[in-house]
Amino acid sequence: MLDDGPALEVVGISAFDERIYREVLACPGIAVQELVMRSGESSGRIQTSLSRLRTKGLVSRLWGRSPRWTATNPGTAIRSLVRGLQSDLDRLTDTADQLEAAFRTVGQDLEEGGQFEVLAGPDEQARWYVRLQQEAKEEVLTFDRPPYVLDYHNPVQTGLLRKGVRYRTIYVPEAFDHAGALDEVGSLVKAGEEARVLPALPFKMAIVDRWLAVMPLHMDPPLTRGVLIKGSTMVVALVELFERMWQEALPIWPPTPGDDAPEPVGDPGRGEEQKWPELSPEHRQLLALLSAGLKDDAIARQFGTSPRSLRRRLRGLLDELNAETRFQAGAQASRRGLV
């Protein structure tokens, strides 16, 4: 259940929820206690599953002295979920169009001259990356992904954070593959960096004060050619791209226990108030890494344990979140303000 699942999992419905949905579909007006007897599961778990299904638009509750449940039209409900996925794909397509336009603009402007300077070799790119940070007055925006031209440790950033320069960085999961990467980013976050993650980034870049940008001209190691861009419409386009992808990215550091988080809504029909379980620090950290998209082996390295032990910890996390899959755990964590 931690990996592959039935087809409906594509739209965020776990195998367990699908089983409950099929029971409701087969028996319109079914009561919770009947579902308990049919499934052998606890009433609380059934109620939670029904709430998830109702959120997805797959079931509705019939009011009365003894609440009963019925399925909505499956074709209508599932097509609505598919349209939601299609909307996400359309946004990705729009991003691809923007990147293609940016790529073409770079090529044209380099040929015509303008506010561009070609940087030959990884050493030159590394020098400009450090220099741009040293010149930063207000903010530094970064796409962080391999390959790298500098050691992962960035002492310049820590000093600038202390001076009040704002750093916002979007990482990819591969940025955490090497030993000590998570600890390093954790130190930067404590110093003030705002860090988020996306499954993939089209390229790497750094933008300083929305005026200067440095980026490689290809992503195949070694990074033999880069470009410095100064105060042009290309920088404006790159900033706009960063802001859009920042909105799509997830924070890779969860709120610490005690931070304000959304309270769940109770069930007024039953006079109940749900309480989210208090996650242990270890499980909160594991949840952050799962949200970042790290694979089991990479997460195990960060915890200093074996993949087998990691899977046991993951099973415990899913149990605490009352989730059947990683996808569902991420959705639950997002709803509860844990990521």
Side-chain angles (χ1 to χ4, degrees):
M1 295 306 300
L2 300 182
D3 298 306
D4 296 331
L8 287 184
E9 191 173 71
V10 174
V11 289
I13 300 169
S14 71
F16 178 76
D17 287 353
E18 182 176 342
R19 182 155 63 95
I20 298 302
Y21 172 63
R22 289 182 181 272
E23 292 285 357
V24 177
L25 185 65
C27 302
I30 193 170
V32 172
Q33 289 306 315
E34 294 176 68
L35 288 170
V36 169
M37 289 187 291
R38 285 171 176 267
S39 66
E41 299 289 344
S42 67
S43 174
R45 193 177 186 198
I46 296 293
Q47 288 279 11
T48 301
S49 177
L50 290 169
S51 295
R52 289 194 294 261
L53 291 169
R54 183 168 62 173
T55 299
K56 292 286 187 181
L58 289 169
V59 300
S60 58
R61 188 167 59 184
L62 304 175
W63 292 96
R65 295 184 61 185
S66 177
R68 295 177 177 271
W69 294 82
T70 188
T72 59
N73 185 304
T76 301
I78 294 173
R79 288 189 184 95
S80 176
L81 295 175
V82 170
R83 284 195 295 272
L85 285 179
Q86 186 61 52
S87 177
D88 292 338
L89 292 174
D90 289 342
R91 286 200 299 273
L92 287 175
T93 301
D94 291 341
T95 298
D97 292 340
Q98 294 163 9
L99 294 176
E100 183 177 12
F103 175 79
R104 291 176 176 176
T105 300
V106 169
Q108 293 171 356
D109 288 343
L110 283 174
E111 292 176 359
E112 298 171 1
Q115 301 290 322
F116 295 85
E117 178 180 341
V118 176
L119 307 177
D123 291 343
E124 184 70 8
Q125 294 175 65
R127 281 194 293 272
W128 266 105
Y129 176 62
V130 173
R131 178 175 171 180
L132 258 64
Q133 290 184 88
Q134 292 171 334
E135 295 179 1
K137 303 298 182 184
E138 297 181 1
E139 69 173 354
V140 178
L141 310 176
T142 305
F143 283 171
D144 189 303
R145 53 158 290 182
Y148 295 104
V149 295
L150 284 172
D151 181 81
Y152 199 85
H153 184 62
N154 185 1
V156 176
Q157 178 174 343
T158 304
L160 289 172
L161 284 168
R162 292 196 188 101
K163 294 180 179 178
V165 175
R166 185 185 187 189
Y167 269 79
R168 285 191 289 159
T169 304
I170 302 176
Y171 295 90
V172 293
E174 292 79 9
F176 303 97
D177 279 348
H178 60 279
L182 189 67
D183 290 338
E184 175 67 20
V185 175
S187 298
L188 293 174
V189 170
K190 289 180 180 178
E193 178 183 272
E194 300 167 55
R196 296 189 180 185
V197 67
L198 280 174
L201 289 170
F203 47 78
K204 59 190 302 171
M205 69 173 180
I207 305 172
V208 171
D209 294 337
R210 303 181 177 236
W211 176 254
L212 295 171
V214 63
M215 58 188 294
L217 288 175
H218 63 85
M219 293 304 300
D220 298 321
L223 300 178
T224 56
R225 298 185 73 203
V227 61
L228 174 69
I229 312 170
K230 302 179 182 179
S232 69
T233 55
M234 184 61 191
V235 176
V236 175
L238 290 174
V239 171
E240 177 65 20
L241 174 63
F242 178 91
E243 294 294 353
R244 293 195 180 198
M245 300 190 82
W246 180 260
Q247 293 301 317
E248 296 290 332
L250 284 175
I252 62 173
W253 229 259
T256 56
D259 286 352
D260 292 335
E263 286 294 327
V265 179
D267 187 346
R270 295 179 59 87
E272 296 176 350
E273 183 181 358
Q274 296 176 331
K275 294 295 184 182
W276 301 132
E278 181 69 28
L279 293 183
S280 67
E282 179 183 87
H283 278 172
R284 296 174 70 87
Q285 183 74 341
L286 176 56
L287 186 59
L289 297 178
L290 286 175
S291 299
L294 269 70
K295 297 179 180 179
D296 286 356
D297 289 347
I299 297 176
R301 283 197 297 272
Q302 300 298 338
F303 274 93
T305 187
S306 67
R308 184 176 180 180
S309 296
L310 184 279
R311 283 190 284 273
R312 286 199 297 268
R313 297 185 185 187
L314 176 58
R315 182 69 262 172
L317 173 61
L318 296 186
D319 288 342
E320 284 201 42
L321 291 172
N322 198 18
E324 295 291 330
T325 65
R326 297 182 186 210
F327 180 92
Q328 197 176 73
Q332 291 277 30
S334 178
R335 288 178 56 213
R336 303 176 189 186
L338 298 175
V339 294

